[in-house]
Amino acid sequence: MESEKSVEAVEPVGTRRPEIRIRDLHKSFGDNQVLRGIDLDIAQGEVVCVIGPSGSGKSTLLRCVNLLEEPTRGQVFVGGTEVTDPDVDIDAVRRRIGMVFQQFNLFPHLTVTENLTLPQRRVLKRDKARAAKAAAENLERVGLSEKAGAYPSSLSGGQQQRVAIARALAMGPRVMLFDEPTSALDPELVGDVLAVMRMLADEGMTMMVVTHEMAFAREVADRVVFMDGGVIVEDGTPERVIGDPAHERTRHFLSRLLDPARAQVEEERNQGLTGGSP
């Protein structure tokens, strides 16, 4: 059976309506200007990976989409609703946005199923049976049906992150935001989490992903956005931004990420040529 994403792919991304629109977004923490006028559209069903060095503003941008960080200036729209409107019902908007953090944020005293049903019952006011049904369906989606009665402490980090994804999916979001979802995992546990994210992409979920996983960005993203210094330096297909970046800042970042030993040797050579310390 064809997935939703493969069917939608007949329609070019540029012709689909934006699910997320960001206009002239600024964010400062005191004198530290973290975002400096970001403009970005993410179309319905599109997967956009945001990459860049630490401190470039990636996570702050992501958190501004659902107002976990309040922008200093600018506008954010999700599904046609202005999130940054002072009169917006932000709780209603957040019900349409699933978010997965670096840390799993599961309740340790609740079972896996209880972690999934609690937010449904409290936020969506679902009855116990409907919440349990949604929990079971989404645990199956992430391959963890057998862990329904387990407690988080008995799960690996990768399993806990997959539970966190299932919890977000059980709320029925239109958009999924991922903030470095694999950065806290041991390398051998990363693959299962990325496989779940690939599944969501194939199903046509709109996704904004802050990540250092370049293989995932190459394979799954429709677009890659490279940020540095609070601005978008490059925005294009993975083939262009990762495979053939136009800007030196992008090339430098990717060389350090993909081949750190070679990047270190080249830096040391350059320092020698310019009279720097050996």
Side-chain angles (χ1 to χ4, degrees):
M1 178 183 290
E2 275 195 307
S3 67
E4 287 182 41
K5 192 173 182 67
S6 63
V7 171
E8 276 197 345
V10 176
E11 180 186 4
V13 167
T15 66
R16 296 182 230 157
R17 69 175 183 79
E19 193 69 48
I20 299 173
R21 285 190 295 141
I22 298 169
R23 293 291 179 269
D24 192 30
L25 197 69
H26 294 252
K27 176 62 182 179
S28 297
F29 296 97
D31 294 332
N32 183 20
Q33 193 172 359
V34 178
L35 299 178
R36 304 168 180 266
I38 300 292
D39 290 296
L40 181 66
D41 282 357
I42 299 177
Q44 187 176 34
E46 189 176 22
V47 178
V48 173
C49 285
V50 184
I51 65 173
S54 297
S56 60
K58 311 182 300 295
S59 291
T60 299
L61 174 62
L62 194 78
R63 292 169 67 88
C64 283
V65 172
N66 63 356
L67 227 60
L68 289 178
E69 294 288 356
E70 189 168 345
T72 305
R73 189 170 85 239
Q75 294 175 295
V76 177
F77 299 84
V78 176
T81 299
E82 185 182 350
V83 177
T84 44
D85 184 336
D87 297 323
V88 72
D89 182 350
I90 190 60
D91 291 332
V93 174
R94 284 176 178 155
R95 291 181 198 124
R96 304 199 298 267
I97 304 172
M99 185 151 187
V100 178
F101 300 89
Q102 296 178 26
Q103 301 301 324
F104 322 124
N105 299 323
L106 301 177
F107 292 110
H109 63 290
L110 299 180
T111 67
V112 165
T113 291
E114 289 167 342
N115 267 281
L116 268 66
T117 56
L118 181 64
Q120 296 181 66
R121 299 186 68 184
R122 288 195 175 175
V123 177
L124 302 180
K125 308 303 180 186
R126 287 179 178 167
D127 61 40
K128 186 175 181 179
R130 186 179 177 197
K133 182 174 184 291
E137 289 172 348
N138 285 287
L139 284 175
E140 183 177 2
R141 289 175 79 186
V142 303
L144 289 174
S145 295
E146 76 282 1
K147 300 295 185 181
Y151 287 88
S153 61
S154 70
L155 305 179
S156 70
Q159 289 171 332
Q160 290 187 59
Q161 190 63 292
R162 285 152 64 194
V163 170
I165 294 172
R167 178 180 56 188
L169 293 173
M171 303 293 285
R174 297 174 51 147
V175 171
M176 287 287 287
L177 308 177
F178 293 87
D179 187 7
E180 294 281 11
T182 60
S183 65
L185 302 179
D186 292 332
E188 66 269 20
L189 302 177
V190 169
D192 288 341
V193 173
L194 294 181
V196 170
M197 295 171 66
R198 287 187 183 94
M199 174 200 71
L200 295 178
D202 289 340
E203 291 177 355
M205 177 66 74
T206 305
M207 297 164 59
M208 184 175 179
V209 184
V210 171
T211 185
H212 281 101
E213 298 288 344
M214 291 302 106
F216 174 83
R218 281 181 184 272
E219 295 169 19
V220 180
D222 295 297
R223 281 164 48 219
V224 173
V225 170
F226 172 69
M227 289 184 63
D228 194 16
V231 300
I232 292 176
V233 178
E234 295 202 49
D235 178 354
T237 64
E239 294 77 14
R240 193 185 68 74
V241 175
I242 299 176
D244 187 24
H247 293 266
E248 178 59 32
R249 288 156 79 184
T250 317
R251 289 194 291 270
H252 179 71
F253 167 76
L254 290 170
S255 69
R256 290 188 64 85
L257 187 68
L258 300 174
D259 194 351
R262 180 178 177 183
Q264 180 67 28
V265 169
E266 290 181 353
E267 284 189 10
E268 291 175 356
R269 182 185 299 124
N270 291 335
Q271 285 178 354
L273 291 174
T274 58
S277 301

